[in-house]
Amino acid sequence: QVQLVESGGGLVQAGGSLRLSCAASGHTFYAMGWFRQAPGKEREFAARINPSGAYRDYADSVKGRFTISRDNARNTVYLQMDNLKPEDTAVYYCAAGTCSGSGCQIIGSYYYWGQGTQVTVSS
């Protein structure tokens, strides 16, 4: 069993930055992903990182602005979000699962989910 707890969300002006953290407990050597869900919309993929941290990929909407990283010694995954835009406003969830390639962009590839943290970007 894996428990995931996100933190670091908040209110920020457009152009600002936030860093989200996801602390994991239990067996944690999984691929880790960040997803987000805006009001009235489906949950969507944002970024993912493989277990070793050697490989990452991003949704086109966040590429060049968001950076995913992990510290396996601390069982923590991060999402550095820069140049935030109002359309980034959403609840952000971290997730753990087993996947490879484009399969890591699919919600069903992830077994464990955090409770989410709200990110609000004002214009």
PDB file of all heavy atoms in Angstrom, residues 12 17 20 23-24 26 35-36 39 42 44 53-55 57 60 63 70 78 80 84 97-99 106-107 116 120-121:
ATOM      1  N   VAL A  12      -1.558  32.316  -6.724  1.00  0.00           N
ATOM      2  CA  VAL A  12      -0.416  33.022  -7.277  1.00  0.00           C
ATOM      3  C   VAL A  12      -0.871  33.842  -8.474  1.00  0.00           C
ATOM      4  O   VAL A  12      -1.853  33.483  -9.137  1.00  0.00           O
ATOM      5  CB  VAL A  12       0.699  32.016  -7.679  1.00  0.00           C
ATOM      6  CG1 VAL A  12       0.228  31.089  -8.785  1.00  0.00           C
ATOM      7  CG2 VAL A  12       1.987  32.714  -8.045  1.00  0.00           C
ATOM      8  N   SER A  17       5.351  31.526  -9.734  1.00  0.00           N
ATOM      9  CA  SER A  17       5.814  30.144  -9.623  1.00  0.00           C
ATOM     10  C   SER A  17       5.277  29.502  -8.343  1.00  0.00           C
ATOM     11  O   SER A  17       5.022  30.190  -7.351  1.00  0.00           O
ATOM     12  CB  SER A  17       7.344  30.090  -9.585  1.00  0.00           C
ATOM     13  OG  SER A  17       7.914  30.596 -10.768  1.00  0.00           O
ATOM     14  N   LEU A  20       5.062  22.197  -6.079  1.00  0.00           N
ATOM     15  CA  LEU A  20       4.256  21.181  -5.408  1.00  0.00           C
ATOM     16  C   LEU A  20       5.156  20.036  -4.955  1.00  0.00           C
ATOM     17  O   LEU A  20       6.124  19.691  -5.637  1.00  0.00           O
ATOM     18  CB  LEU A  20       3.177  20.642  -6.343  1.00  0.00           C
ATOM     19  CG  LEU A  20       2.243  21.669  -6.985  1.00  0.00           C
ATOM     20  CD1 LEU A  20       1.181  20.951  -7.817  1.00  0.00           C
ATOM     21  CD2 LEU A  20       1.605  22.564  -5.952  1.00  0.00           C
ATOM     22  N   ALA A  23       4.659  13.631  -0.959  1.00  0.00           N
ATOM     23  CA  ALA A  23       5.379  12.733  -0.057  1.00  0.00           C
ATOM     24  C   ALA A  23       4.728  11.365  -0.086  1.00  0.00           C
ATOM     25  O   ALA A  23       3.509  11.250   0.074  1.00  0.00           O
ATOM     26  CB  ALA A  23       5.366  13.298   1.355  1.00  0.00           C
ATOM     27  N   ALA A  24       5.543  10.335  -0.296  1.00  0.00           N
ATOM     28  CA  ALA A  24       5.038   8.975  -0.417  1.00  0.00           C
ATOM     29  C   ALA A  24       5.497   8.117   0.741  1.00  0.00           C
ATOM     30  O   ALA A  24       6.608   8.271   1.253  1.00  0.00           O
ATOM     31  CB  ALA A  24       5.514   8.367  -1.729  1.00  0.00           C
ATOM     32  N   GLY A  26       5.342   3.856   2.221  1.00  0.00           N
ATOM     33  CA  GLY A  26       5.153   2.498   1.744  1.00  0.00           C
ATOM     34  C   GLY A  26       6.128   2.183   0.629  1.00  0.00           C
ATOM     35  O   GLY A  26       7.140   2.854   0.470  1.00  0.00           O
ATOM     36  N   PHE A  35      -1.205  14.892 -12.278  1.00  0.00           N
ATOM     37  CA  PHE A  35      -2.389  15.147 -13.082  1.00  0.00           C
ATOM     38  C   PHE A  35      -3.084  16.378 -12.520  1.00  0.00           C
ATOM     39  O   PHE A  35      -2.837  16.784 -11.379  1.00  0.00           O
ATOM     40  CB  PHE A  35      -3.338  13.939 -13.044  1.00  0.00           C
ATOM     41  CG  PHE A  35      -2.838  12.750 -13.813  1.00  0.00           C
ATOM     42  CD1 PHE A  35      -1.818  11.956 -13.293  1.00  0.00           C
ATOM     43  CD2 PHE A  35      -3.385  12.414 -15.032  1.00  0.00           C
ATOM     44  CE1 PHE A  35      -1.353  10.855 -13.997  1.00  0.00           C
ATOM     45  CE2 PHE A  35      -2.929  11.313 -15.738  1.00  0.00           C
ATOM     46  CZ  PHE A  35      -1.909  10.536 -15.220  1.00  0.00           C
ATOM     47  N   ARG A  36      -3.984  16.953 -13.292  1.00  0.00           N
ATOM     48  CA  ARG A  36      -4.733  18.098 -12.798  1.00  0.00           C
ATOM     49  C   ARG A  36      -6.160  18.060 -13.307  1.00  0.00           C
ATOM     50  O   ARG A  36      -6.434  17.483 -14.364  1.00  0.00           O
ATOM     51  CB  ARG A  36      -4.051  19.406 -13.204  1.00  0.00           C
ATOM     52  CG  ARG A  36      -4.001  19.657 -14.705  1.00  0.00           C
ATOM     53  CD  ARG A  36      -3.177  20.902 -14.985  1.00  0.00           C
ATOM     54  NE  ARG A  36      -3.212  21.270 -16.400  1.00  0.00           N
ATOM     55  CZ  ARG A  36      -2.576  22.303 -16.910  1.00  0.00           C
ATOM     56  NH1 ARG A  36      -1.835  23.090 -16.120  1.00  0.00           N
ATOM     57  NH2 ARG A  36      -2.664  22.572 -18.209  1.00  0.00           N
ATOM     58  N   PRO A  39     -12.196  22.895 -12.796  1.00  0.00           N
ATOM     59  CA  PRO A  39     -13.643  22.798 -12.579  1.00  0.00           C
ATOM     60  C   PRO A  39     -14.392  22.495 -13.874  1.00  0.00           C
ATOM     61  O   PRO A  39     -14.165  23.147 -14.899  1.00  0.00           O
ATOM     62  CB  PRO A  39     -14.017  24.177 -12.043  1.00  0.00           C
ATOM     63  CG  PRO A  39     -12.758  24.685 -11.416  1.00  0.00           C
ATOM     64  CD  PRO A  39     -11.641  24.146 -12.266  1.00  0.00           C
ATOM     65  N   GLU A  42     -12.367  17.151 -17.243  1.00  0.00           N
ATOM     66  CA  GLU A  42     -11.836  15.855 -16.860  1.00  0.00           C
ATOM     67  C   GLU A  42     -10.399  16.002 -16.334  1.00  0.00           C
ATOM     68  O   GLU A  42      -9.690  16.943 -16.682  1.00  0.00           O
ATOM     69  CB  GLU A  42     -11.864  14.909 -18.058  1.00  0.00           C
ATOM     70  CG  GLU A  42     -13.253  14.546 -18.522  1.00  0.00           C
ATOM     71  CD  GLU A  42     -13.242  13.502 -19.621  1.00  0.00           C
ATOM     72  OE1 GLU A  42     -12.158  13.175 -20.130  1.00  0.00           O
ATOM     73  OE2 GLU A  42     -14.320  13.010 -19.959  1.00  0.00           O
ATOM     74  N   GLU A  44      -6.605  15.494 -16.256  1.00  0.00           N
ATOM     75  CA  GLU A  44      -5.685  15.372 -17.383  1.00  0.00           C
ATOM     76  C   GLU A  44      -4.244  15.237 -16.906  1.00  0.00           C
ATOM     77  O   GLU A  44      -3.866  15.712 -15.832  1.00  0.00           O
ATOM     78  CB  GLU A  44      -5.794  16.589 -18.313  1.00  0.00           C
ATOM     79  CG  GLU A  44      -5.363  17.896 -17.686  1.00  0.00           C
ATOM     80  CD  GLU A  44      -5.403  19.062 -18.658  1.00  0.00           C
ATOM     81  OE1 GLU A  44      -5.949  18.922 -19.766  1.00  0.00           O
ATOM     82  OE2 GLU A  44      -4.868  20.130 -18.316  1.00  0.00           O
ATOM     83  N   GLY A  53      14.169   8.333 -12.101  1.00  0.00           N
ATOM     84  CA  GLY A  53      14.274   9.769 -12.337  1.00  0.00           C
ATOM     85  C   GLY A  53      14.985  10.126 -13.615  1.00  0.00           C
ATOM     86  O   GLY A  53      15.173  11.298 -13.920  1.00  0.00           O
ATOM     87  N   ALA A  54      15.363   9.111 -14.400  1.00  0.00           N
ATOM     88  CA  ALA A  54      16.142   9.368 -15.606  1.00  0.00           C
ATOM     89  C   ALA A  54      15.281   9.835 -16.773  1.00  0.00           C
ATOM     90  O   ALA A  54      15.806  10.421 -17.728  1.00  0.00           O
ATOM     91  CB  ALA A  54      16.908   8.114 -15.998  1.00  0.00           C
ATOM     92  N   TYR A  55      14.007   9.529 -16.724  1.00  0.00           N
ATOM     93  CA  TYR A  55      13.154   9.876 -17.859  1.00  0.00           C
ATOM     94  C   TYR A  55      11.917  10.611 -17.383  1.00  0.00           C
ATOM     95  O   TYR A  55      11.269  10.214 -16.423  1.00  0.00           O
ATOM     96  CB  TYR A  55      12.746   8.629 -18.644  1.00  0.00           C
ATOM     97  CG  TYR A  55      12.047   8.986 -19.925  1.00  0.00           C
ATOM     98  CD1 TYR A  55      12.759   9.402 -21.039  1.00  0.00           C
ATOM     99  CD2 TYR A  55      10.657   8.951 -19.991  1.00  0.00           C
ATOM    100  CE1 TYR A  55      12.110   9.781 -22.199  1.00  0.00           C
ATOM    101  CE2 TYR A  55       9.999   9.312 -21.152  1.00  0.00           C
ATOM    102  CZ  TYR A  55      10.732   9.731 -22.251  1.00  0.00           C
ATOM    103  OH  TYR A  55      10.092  10.098 -23.404  1.00  0.00           O
ATOM    104  N   ASP A  57       8.418  13.074 -18.983  1.00  0.00           N
ATOM    105  CA  ASP A  57       7.743  13.719 -20.090  1.00  0.00           C
ATOM    106  C   ASP A  57       6.576  14.552 -19.588  1.00  0.00           C
ATOM    107  O   ASP A  57       6.159  14.428 -18.444  1.00  0.00           O
ATOM    108  CB  ASP A  57       7.351  12.749 -21.206  1.00  0.00           C
ATOM    109  CG  ASP A  57       6.279  11.788 -20.836  1.00  0.00           C
ATOM    110  OD1 ASP A  57       6.240  11.325 -19.690  1.00  0.00           O
ATOM    111  OD2 ASP A  57       5.440  11.473 -21.712  1.00  0.00           O
ATOM    112  N   ASP A  60       1.857  18.824 -23.582  1.00  0.00           N
ATOM    113  CA  ASP A  60       2.268  19.977 -24.400  1.00  0.00           C
ATOM    114  C   ASP A  60       1.911  21.302 -23.727  1.00  0.00           C
ATOM    115  O   ASP A  60       2.634  22.287 -23.871  1.00  0.00           O
ATOM    116  CB  ASP A  60       1.599  19.903 -25.770  1.00  0.00           C
ATOM    117  CG  ASP A  60       2.183  18.807 -26.650  1.00  0.00           C
ATOM    118  OD1 ASP A  60       3.292  18.315 -26.329  1.00  0.00           O
ATOM    119  OD2 ASP A  60       1.528  18.442 -27.644  1.00  0.00           O
ATOM    120  N   LYS A  63       4.783  21.962 -21.127  1.00  0.00           N
ATOM    121  CA  LYS A  63       6.176  21.750 -21.536  1.00  0.00           C
ATOM    122  C   LYS A  63       6.916  23.084 -21.596  1.00  0.00           C
ATOM    123  O   LYS A  63       6.411  24.066 -22.125  1.00  0.00           O
ATOM    124  CB  LYS A  63       6.200  21.056 -22.895  1.00  0.00           C
ATOM    125  CG  LYS A  63       7.513  20.385 -23.243  1.00  0.00           C
ATOM    126  CD  LYS A  63       7.368  19.555 -24.516  1.00  0.00           C
ATOM    127  CE  LYS A  63       6.419  18.396 -24.320  1.00  0.00           C
ATOM    128  NZ  LYS A  63       6.311  17.551 -25.533  1.00  0.00           N
ATOM    129  N   ARG A  70      12.301  14.000  -8.664  1.00  0.00           N
ATOM    130  CA  ARG A  70      12.046  13.148  -7.514  1.00  0.00           C
ATOM    131  C   ARG A  70      13.317  12.980  -6.702  1.00  0.00           C
ATOM    132  O   ARG A  70      14.426  12.996  -7.255  1.00  0.00           O
ATOM    133  CB  ARG A  70      11.482  11.792  -7.946  1.00  0.00           C
ATOM    134  CG  ARG A  70      12.408  10.903  -8.718  1.00  0.00           C
ATOM    135  CD  ARG A  70      11.649   9.699  -9.308  1.00  0.00           C
ATOM    136  NE  ARG A  70      11.106   8.830  -8.280  1.00  0.00           N
ATOM    137  CZ  ARG A  70      10.124   7.930  -8.504  1.00  0.00           C
ATOM    138  NH1 ARG A  70       9.600   7.809  -9.721  1.00  0.00           N
ATOM    139  NH2 ARG A  70       9.692   7.164  -7.523  1.00  0.00           N
ATOM    140  N   TYR A  78       8.410  16.157  -6.886  1.00  0.00           N
ATOM    141  CA  TYR A  78       8.150  17.588  -6.955  1.00  0.00           C
ATOM    142  C   TYR A  78       7.619  17.979  -8.339  1.00  0.00           C
ATOM    143  O   TYR A  78       7.911  17.322  -9.333  1.00  0.00           O
ATOM    144  CB  TYR A  78       9.439  18.373  -6.694  1.00  0.00           C
ATOM    145  CG  TYR A  78      10.098  18.032  -5.392  1.00  0.00           C
ATOM    146  CD1 TYR A  78      11.155  17.119  -5.339  1.00  0.00           C
ATOM    147  CD2 TYR A  78       9.676  18.606  -4.195  1.00  0.00           C
ATOM    148  CE1 TYR A  78      11.765  16.790  -4.147  1.00  0.00           C
ATOM    149  CE2 TYR A  78      10.280  18.279  -2.992  1.00  0.00           C
ATOM    150  CZ  TYR A  78      11.320  17.364  -2.981  1.00  0.00           C
ATOM    151  OH  TYR A  78      11.912  17.045  -1.782  1.00  0.00           O
ATOM    152  N   GLN A  80       7.809  21.616 -10.134  1.00  0.00           N
ATOM    153  CA  GLN A  80       8.120  23.035 -10.172  1.00  0.00           C
ATOM    154  C   GLN A  80       7.336  23.663 -11.315  1.00  0.00           C
ATOM    155  O   GLN A  80       7.476  23.239 -12.463  1.00  0.00           O
ATOM    156  CB  GLN A  80       9.627  23.236 -10.393  1.00  0.00           C
ATOM    157  CG  GLN A  80      10.044  24.687 -10.521  1.00  0.00           C
ATOM    158  CD  GLN A  80       9.856  25.476  -9.232  1.00  0.00           C
ATOM    159  OE1 GLN A  80      10.143  24.981  -8.150  1.00  0.00           O
ATOM    160  NE2 GLN A  80       9.374  26.716  -9.354  1.00  0.00           N
ATOM    161  N   LEU A  84       3.304  30.635 -14.540  1.00  0.00           N
ATOM    162  CA  LEU A  84       1.939  30.102 -14.431  1.00  0.00           C
ATOM    163  C   LEU A  84       0.936  30.988 -15.147  1.00  0.00           C
ATOM    164  O   LEU A  84       1.093  32.223 -15.213  1.00  0.00           O
ATOM    165  CB  LEU A  84       1.562  29.949 -12.959  1.00  0.00           C
ATOM    166  CG  LEU A  84       2.178  28.709 -12.296  1.00  0.00           C
ATOM    167  CD1 LEU A  84       2.183  28.863 -10.773  1.00  0.00           C
ATOM    168  CD2 LEU A  84       1.417  27.461 -12.704  1.00  0.00           C
ATOM    169  N   GLY A  97       2.291   4.505 -10.095  1.00  0.00           N
ATOM    170  CA  GLY A  97       1.855   3.353 -10.851  1.00  0.00           C
ATOM    171  C   GLY A  97       2.990   2.696 -11.604  1.00  0.00           C
ATOM    172  O   GLY A  97       4.162   3.036 -11.406  1.00  0.00           O
ATOM    173  N   THR A  98       2.605   1.761 -12.469  1.00  0.00           N
ATOM    174  CA  THR A  98       3.568   1.045 -13.302  1.00  0.00           C
ATOM    175  C   THR A  98       3.189   1.282 -14.754  1.00  0.00           C
ATOM    176  O   THR A  98       2.079   0.952 -15.159  1.00  0.00           O
ATOM    177  CB  THR A  98       3.536  -0.462 -12.989  1.00  0.00           C
ATOM    178  OG1 THR A  98       3.825  -0.661 -11.603  1.00  0.00           O
ATOM    179  CG2 THR A  98       4.573  -1.189 -13.836  1.00  0.00           C
ATOM    180  N   CYS A  99       4.106   1.861 -15.518  1.00  0.00           N
ATOM    181  CA  CYS A  99       3.794   2.203 -16.898  1.00  0.00           C
ATOM    182  C   CYS A  99       5.083   2.470 -17.649  1.00  0.00           C
ATOM    183  O   CYS A  99       6.155   2.552 -17.062  1.00  0.00           O
ATOM    184  CB  CYS A  99       2.901   3.441 -16.948  1.00  0.00           C
ATOM    185  SG  CYS A  99       3.602   4.877 -16.132  1.00  0.00           S
ATOM    186  N   ILE A 106      -1.892   7.937 -19.085  1.00  0.00           N
ATOM    187  CA  ILE A 106      -3.238   7.409 -18.912  1.00  0.00           C
ATOM    188  C   ILE A 106      -3.541   7.246 -17.431  1.00  0.00           C
ATOM    189  O   ILE A 106      -2.767   6.637 -16.687  1.00  0.00           O
ATOM    190  CB  ILE A 106      -3.377   6.064 -19.636  1.00  0.00           C
ATOM    191  CG1 ILE A 106      -3.122   6.252 -21.129  1.00  0.00           C
ATOM    192  CG2 ILE A 106      -4.745   5.448 -19.386  1.00  0.00           C
ATOM    193  CD1 ILE A 106      -3.028   4.958 -21.893  1.00  0.00           C
ATOM    194  N   ILE A 107      -4.677   7.758 -17.007  1.00  0.00           N
ATOM    195  CA  ILE A 107      -5.064   7.689 -15.600  1.00  0.00           C
ATOM    196  C   ILE A 107      -5.069   6.256 -15.103  1.00  0.00           C
ATOM    197  O   ILE A 107      -4.640   5.960 -13.981  1.00  0.00           O
ATOM    198  CB  ILE A 107      -6.443   8.352 -15.402  1.00  0.00           C
ATOM    199  CG1 ILE A 107      -6.323   9.876 -15.578  1.00  0.00           C
ATOM    200  CG2 ILE A 107      -7.031   8.007 -14.040  1.00  0.00           C
ATOM    201  CD1 ILE A 107      -7.652  10.594 -15.555  1.00  0.00           C
ATOM    202  N   GLY A 116      -5.007  15.590  -3.503  1.00  0.00           N
ATOM    203  CA  GLY A 116      -5.040  16.776  -4.344  1.00  0.00           C
ATOM    204  C   GLY A 116      -4.698  18.048  -3.594  1.00  0.00           C
ATOM    205  O   GLY A 116      -4.923  18.156  -2.379  1.00  0.00           O
ATOM    206  N   THR A 120      -4.418  28.007  -7.774  1.00  0.00           N
ATOM    207  CA  THR A 120      -5.232  29.045  -8.378  1.00  0.00           C
ATOM    208  C   THR A 120      -4.311  30.145  -8.900  1.00  0.00           C
ATOM    209  O   THR A 120      -3.505  30.683  -8.142  1.00  0.00           O
ATOM    210  CB  THR A 120      -6.222  29.626  -7.377  1.00  0.00           C
ATOM    211  OG1 THR A 120      -7.041  28.571  -6.856  1.00  0.00           O
ATOM    212  CG2 THR A 120      -7.111  30.672  -8.040  1.00  0.00           C
ATOM    213  N   VAL A 121      -4.449  30.452 -10.182  1.00  0.00           N
ATOM    214  CA  VAL A 121      -3.623  31.475 -10.819  1.00  0.00           C
ATOM    215  C   VAL A 121      -4.532  32.630 -11.221  1.00  0.00           C
ATOM    216  O   VAL A 121      -5.447  32.450 -12.031  1.00  0.00           O
ATOM    217  CB  VAL A 121      -2.883  30.918 -12.038  1.00  0.00           C
ATOM    218  CG1 VAL A 121      -1.947  31.989 -12.609  1.00  0.00           C
ATOM    219  CG2 VAL A 121      -2.100  29.662 -11.667  1.00  0.00           C
TER     220      VAL A 121
END
